[in-house]
Amino acid sequence: MLTGILFALATGLLFMLIGIVFSYAGTRVDILNVLLLQNLFLGILFLAAAVPGGFSGAMWLPVAVMAATGAVNILAMFTLQKAMALGNPGAAWAIAQSALVGPYVGALLFLGERPTVARVTGIVLILGGMALLGVCSKKSIDAGAGSGGGRYRWLLLAFLAFGLLVAAQYFVTASSRWSAEVGTPLRAGSLSLGSVLLAAGVKAARRQYRFRFDRRTVICVAGLTTLGLVSQSTIFITVDRLSEAGAAGIGYPVMMGSCIALFFLYTTLVLKEKSSIGGKLAVAILVAGIFSLCFS
C-alpha cells in the first residue's frame, strides 16, 4: 500500500506542475487547441506502446469505457470553467473538486472495499480543507453571483461538473479491477482518445477549424504532453497498487489533496501571493487528511 501512496503523492506533484503550465497559458493561448493536441499526442504514444501486447475482442469494452471517461472528464472541465466564469469561482472550484470523494464511496459500494476510521477521517479532512480553501479565496469572496433569472446558473453548472468528475474518477478507479491484459498504456491511450474526440467535437460545433502554432502554444503542448505522459501512467499505477491492498478508493483523494496543497505552497512561496490564516489552516487540514490516509 505504501508504494501506491507514494505514487499518488508523485501524481499530485505532477498535477501541480500541470497547474503551473495552465497558469502560464492563461489567456495567451487557445486552451481548447492545446488540450486537443496534447491528448492527440498522448493517445498516439500510449496506444503505440500498447500495440506489442496485442489486442483481443474482450478489450473492446474497457477501451470504450475509458474513451467515454476521457470525454466526460474534458466535458467536466469545460463545464467547471463556465461555472467559474459566470459566478463564484472559488465556490465552484470547491464544489467540483469535492468529486474526489466519489471514487472512495464507489469503491465501498461496488468494489467491496471496507471503510476504516482512518480512511473516513482522511476523506473528511481533505474535503473540509478544500472547502475552507475555497471560502478563503479572495476571488471567491469578491466574485459576483450574477443577476436576474440566470443568477444560480453557475451553481447548477458547478454541481454538473461535480457529477461528471465523480463518474470519470470512479471509472478510472474501477479500471484497476479489469483483466491484467488491459494494461496502463491501453487504458491511458483510450482515455486520451476520448478526450480528443470530445475536444474535436467542440471545435467543430464552434466552427473553429484552424490551429495556431505560435511559440507559447508549442511550449504548452510540449509541457502538458510530457507531464501528461508521466501523470497518466502514475494514475493507473496508483489505483492498481492501492487496489491490491483493497484501498483503490483513496487514490484520488491523495492525488488531488496533495496537488492542491502543493499548488497553494507554490503560489505563496514562489509567486509571493498573500495567503490568509484560513488558507494556511486549510492546507494544514489537507495535509492532515493525506497523512490519515497514508497510515490507514
Side-chain angles (χ1 to χ4, degrees):
M1 181 169 170
L2 179 60
T3 302
I5 292 290
L6 292 175
F7 270 107
L9 293 173
T11 305
L13 174 61
L14 291 167
F15 284 169
M16 185 268 285
L17 295 175
I18 289 173
I20 292 175
V21 175
F22 271 102
S23 178
Y24 165 80
T27 58
R28 297 185 179 101
V29 300
D30 185 334
I31 199 64
L32 179 59
N33 286 341
V34 170
L35 288 173
L36 195 158
L37 292 171
Q38 173 214 3
N39 282 286
L40 178 62
F41 291 140
L42 285 176
I44 292 172
L45 292 170
F46 277 121
L47 292 176
V51 167
F55 193 89
S56 67
M59 295 180 183
W60 280 111
L61 180 58
V63 166
V65 171
M66 279 294 95
T69 299
V72 167
N73 189 63
I74 290 291
L75 181 59
M77 298 314 295
F78 285 143
T79 304
L80 175 57
Q81 182 185 41
K82 186 68 173 177
M84 294 173 73
L86 287 176
N88 191 318
W93 173 263
I95 290 169
Q97 296 308 318
S98 296
L100 60 81
V101 76
Y104 182 68
V105 175
L108 295 179
L109 295 176
F110 305 115
L111 302 181
E113 294 187 5
R114 295 182 179 180
T116 65
V117 172
R119 291 180 190 176
V120 172
T121 300
I123 296 292
V124 170
L125 286 173
I126 289 175
L127 286 173
M130 290 177 64
L132 179 59
L133 200 57
V135 170
C136 292
S137 168
K138 186 176 185 299
K139 290 183 179 180
S140 174
I141 296 172
D142 292 345
S147 60
R151 184 176 183 181
Y152 298 106
R153 185 183 173 196
W154 71 271
L155 188 60
L156 294 175
L157 289 171
F159 277 107
L160 176 58
F162 167 84
L164 292 170
L165 286 171
V166 166
Q169 293 177 8
Y170 169 74
F171 281 110
V172 169
T173 301
S175 73
S176 64
R177 301 300 180 94
W178 294 344
S179 169
E181 294 178 343
V182 189
T184 294
L186 184 58
R187 285 182 287 169
S190 302
L191 198 70
S192 296
L193 177 61
S195 299
V196 169
L197 293 175
L198 193 285
V202 172
K203 277 186 69 69
R206 294 178 178 177
R207 297 184 179 180
Q208 298 174 348
Y209 303 112
R210 294 183 179 180
F211 286 90
R212 183 179 176 183
F213 291 96
D214 55 18
R215 183 176 63 88
R216 287 170 177 165
T217 297
V218 172
I219 290 174
C220 289
V221 171
L224 290 174
T225 299
T226 302
L227 292 169
L229 189 64
V230 182
S231 64
Q232 283 202 27
S233 299
T234 56
I235 287 172
F236 288 108
I237 293 173
T238 296
V239 296
D240 287 349
R241 294 293 182 274
L242 291 175
S243 179
E244 293 171 0
I250 71 172
Y252 267 101
V254 175
M255 288 186 279
M256 295 304 300
S258 58
C259 166
I260 293 167
L262 289 170
F263 196 81
F264 179 85
L265 293 175
Y266 164 75
T267 58
T268 302
L269 301 177
V270 179
L271 300 183
K272 305 300 182 182
E273 293 184 0
K274 293 183 179 180
S275 60
S276 65
I277 294 177
K280 294 175 182 177
L281 177 61
V283 172
I285 293 173
L286 277 169
V287 172
I290 293 169
F291 269 101
S292 180
L293 292 178
C294 289
F295 295 103
S296 63

